[in-house]
Amino acid sequence: EPEVTQTPSHQVTQMGQEVILRCVPISNHLYFYWYRQILGQKVEFLVSFYNNEISEKSEIFDDQFSVERPDGSNFTLKIRSTKLEDSAMYFCASRTRELNTEAFFGQGTRLTVV
Amino acid sequence: DQQVKQNSPSLSVQEGRISILNCDYTNSMFDYFLWYKKYPAEGPTFLISISSIKDKNEDGRFTVFLNKSAKHLSLHIVPSQPGDSAVYFCAASDGNKLVFGAGTILRVKS
């Protein structure tokens, strides 16, 4: 069964460093998302991406964040200068173009900023 | 801004009995609702969904009910099994993104 894959599963980084979280969405999907979940809290929307551009972003997704689909298969989230409060599980998701369909989530990357 | 609310942080039920998880939403623009199941250190897994034009959708042991006038949906699991123990997230779609509730921890005791 097709699945969304994320790498790495766990990333530890020093505060102020740049990190890139990687995702390979399901191959025929056209909508891509990043969500995050701070420990014990809700799953929060960060950004959606369609047709090679951001379609929507949340207040959390400030100038420190960027997304890219560099080669038609990978979908990356970059955090330019990490802060302690960026520590969270980051989930990538994708879905087809049809309306009213579920999004499929990856296993997540646990980001720990020290 | 809690557009999707799950007011019960946890629920404990006996194996074989019915589990009922509740969810309320505030945004009338939501037109598609989903339930996801999540285990620790894993991503959310899609469980069942319902379109706003329906009031019930059933898939095996899982049934989702939607009451649009009350902006309320619920997930019924019957019979509950120990393997159902997980965090259940209600989510609503605005046509693009999903907005999640805070989740309900379900514990099914054997």
Side-chain angles (χ1 to χ4, degrees), chain B residues 2 5 11 13 19 21-22 26 35 41 47 49 54-56 59 65 70 83 87 94 100 106 109:
Chain B
Q2 291 188 61
K5 299 179 189 177
L11 175 68
V13 300
S19 297
L21 296 99
N22 293 301
T26 57
W35 285 94
L47 201 54
S49 63
K54 295 187 174 181
D55 55 19
K56 177 182 174 181
D59 183 2
F65 295 92
V87 180
D94 63 5
F100 283 84
L106 174 65
K109 299 176 289 187

Side-chain angles (χ1 to χ4, degrees), chain A residues 95-109:
Chain A
R95 68 172 179 87
T96 64
R97 76 183 320 158
E98 283 82 24
L99 289 177
N100 293 347
T101 57
E102 67 272 23
F104 291 83
F105 284 78
Q107 294 284 76
T109 293

Side-chain angles (χ1 to χ4, degrees), chain A residues 23-63:
Chain A
C23 169
V24 179
I26 295 172
S27 61
N28 64 337
H29 285 188
L30 297 177
Y31 289 84
F32 313 113
Y33 305 87
W34 283 101
Y35 287 81
R36 80 172 185 190
Q37 185 183 28
I38 295 172
L39 187 62
Q41 297 185 24
K42 63 173 21 178
V43 177
E44 300 175 290
F45 168 75
L46 293 179
V47 65
S48 59
F49 192 86
Y50 172 72
N51 202 25
N52 284 321
E53 61 183 20
I54 291 174
S55 51
E56 188 174 351
K57 59 184 180 180
S58 71
E59 293 176 352
I60 304 167
F61 195 89
D62 61 22
D63 292 343

Side-chain angles (χ1 to χ4, degrees), chain B residues 5 14-15 34 50 54-55 59 78 85 88-89 91 93:
Chain B
K5 299 179 189 177
Q14 200 67 35
E15 180 180 6
L34 309 91
I50 188 165
K54 295 187 174 181
D55 55 19
D59 183 2
V78 56
S85 297
Y88 288 78
F89 289 97
S93 172

